[in-house]
Amino acid sequence: RAKADGRDMARFFDPSMQNEADRRAAFELAMRDGLSLGEFRLFCQPQFDGHGRLVGAEVLVRWQRGEHGLVGPDDFIGFAEESGLILPLGEYVLEESCRALARWERDPVLACLKLAVNVSIHQMRDSDFPAAVATILDATGAPPKRLCLELTESVFAENMQEISERMYALRSQGICFSLDDFGTGYSSLAYLRRFPLSALKIDRSFVHDIGIDPASGSIVEAIIALARKFKLEIVAEGVEHEAQRTFLVHGGCSSMQGFLLGRPLPMAEFEHMYGAAGAGHA
Ligand code: C2E
Ligand code: MG
Ligand code: MG
Ligand code: MG
């Protein structure tokens, strides 16, 4: 989804590199090295229900890249998708996420959470993906019903039959799916029924405009009504202000995440903060 090329790599422009091909090759090499050196780090953002109870978390990857510091996913996911590196990167994120879920089993608070992991359409295109996920679940001992995969509306531009079969195969393992950034992409309402989805995530652009632009409030209400009809849960992202939270809670939004409620934290800090023995419960 994130646009690659210019935007991704502009920040890493090395003036000694004359052409685009060299820059891409260097960036690819840096990412490969980063992967093998374990420079990609999982951050975790908490999700709360309307009563303020912690119900889940979303995994967000970052790249701790030497002198470049902490690099956000918008600066490398697009490139990873174009270069194919999204497959090993996605597998790494999934494996680390499942390791976390297995650890969380031993914590009375964290054991109840669902963990949402972003999955690229490139991973879904891979016919071996369901088997790879099964292997990871097996090897880590993560409870599949705690794992939720987030897809974007770009799945609707694909061979829907194939993607939907793959989703059913994953769902039969106990995994659920949510549709990320809902309302920004290709969605046709007719498509919603073709996929085994559990939740819609309202894109943060709509949440941002609640209370600013009356139309956004109406869009949010319409998405919530739609989700009810389709028996889907609603997750709102990008909740930054109390007025947005109140609006969403009154509208019947099942869960939400955002800077108001909790920033993404490095996995270990998340566990420390939100686990049973953690700072959040002192
Ligand atoms: P997303 O899945 O929609 O993730 C939500 C983004 O919103 C995250 O940005 C998060 O840090 C940010 N966010 C959370 N709360 C707030 C808020 O209150 N206000 C604002 N303004 N932003 C908030 P991040 O971490 O930069 O991730 C950007 C995108 O990168 C993600 O969007 C997702 O599409 C992609 N991404 C992240 N991790 C992965 C991954 O492991 N695999 C894949 N394929 N994509 C990933
Ligand atoms: Mg997401
Ligand atoms: Mg999103
Ligand atoms: Mg987004």
Side-chain angles (χ1 to χ4, degrees):
R1 199 179 44 87
K3 288 282 165 293
D5 294 338
R7 195 157 68 88
D8 274 31
M9 293 189 296
R11 289 186 36 200
F12 308 115
F13 180 69
D14 175 346
S16 75
M17 285 187 198
Q18 293 301 314
N19 60 60
E20 174 74 11
D22 287 349
R23 289 200 296 277
R24 295 179 68 85
F27 196 76
E28 180 168 344
L29 195 64
M31 271 195 84
R32 281 190 194 284
D33 285 347
L35 265 171
S36 59
L37 293 169
E39 291 177 352
F40 290 89
R41 302 277 160 78
L42 272 56
F43 277 54
C44 223
Q45 184 175 37
Q47 299 172 326
F48 300 88
D49 71 10
H51 304 283
R53 288 184 292 240
L54 181 66
V55 291
E58 178 177 9
V59 168
L60 297 158
V61 69
R62 277 106 183 75
W63 181 7
Q64 188 67 59
R65 190 185 175 199
E67 77 229 26
H68 296 280
L70 195 63
V71 181
D74 287 334
D75 286 325
F76 60 81
I77 292 289
F79 180 83
E81 290 183 327
E82 289 190 354
S83 63
L85 282 170
I86 192 68
L87 295 181
L89 176 63
E91 183 159 322
Y92 173 81
V93 169
L94 209 52
E95 195 170 329
E96 289 301 310
S97 300
C98 286
R99 262 191 239 290
L101 275 176
R103 262 194 321 274
W104 292 5
E105 284 275 275
R106 299 190 295 271
D107 182 294
V109 174
L110 301 178
C112 306
L113 307 187
K114 281 214 168 199
L115 189 59
V117 178
N118 293 285
V119 166
S120 162
I121 186 62
H122 295 258
Q123 293 170 272
M124 288 302 292
R125 268 185 211 140
D126 177 5
S127 59
D128 295 333
F129 185 60
V133 174
T135 303
I136 291 172
L137 287 167
D138 203 52
T140 56
K145 66 168 195 278
R146 298 282 163 209
L147 182 62
C148 184
L149 303 182
E150 293 193 359
L151 303 175
T152 63
E153 291 167 293
S154 58
V155 297
F156 295 135
E158 295 288 314
N159 178 342
M160 286 204 266
Q161 183 64 26
E162 191 180 292
I163 299 289
S164 132
E165 277 167 19
R166 211 153 283 157
M167 285 171 75
Y168 277 102
L170 286 156
R171 201 175 69 157
S172 71
Q173 298 178 32
I175 296 163
C176 70
F177 288 93
S178 58
L179 196 54
D180 207 351
D181 304 339
F182 185 72
T184 58
Y186 303 82
S187 282
S188 149
L189 299 184
Y191 293 170
L192 282 179
R193 353 183 72 148
R194 311 239 333 229
F195 295 102
L197 294 167
S198 300
L200 298 181
K201 291 192 80 171
I202 305 179
D203 189 67
R204 62 174 186 268
S205 58
F206 301 120
V207 174
H208 177 265
D209 291 347
I210 289 174
I212 300 172
D213 168 17
S216 277
S218 308
I219 290 171
V220 168
E221 285 168 340
I223 295 175
I224 294 174
L226 178 76
R228 284 226 181 88
K229 280 260 190 272
F230 283 90
K231 303 208 162 35
L232 298 170
E233 292 194 33
I234 278 283
V235 184
E237 61 178 24
V239 179
E240 295 181 353
H241 304 290
E242 182 53 38
Q244 296 165 339
R245 195 193 68 84
T246 310
F247 181 94
L248 290 160
V249 172
H250 287 159
C253 180
S254 27
S255 68
M256 54 199 96
Q257 65 189 87
F259 296 163
L260 174 73
L261 307 161
R263 299 225 166 217
L265 294 174
M267 182 60 85
E269 274 178 51
F270 177 91
E271 292 175 351
H272 178 72
M273 173 88 186
Y274 294 103
H281 304 268

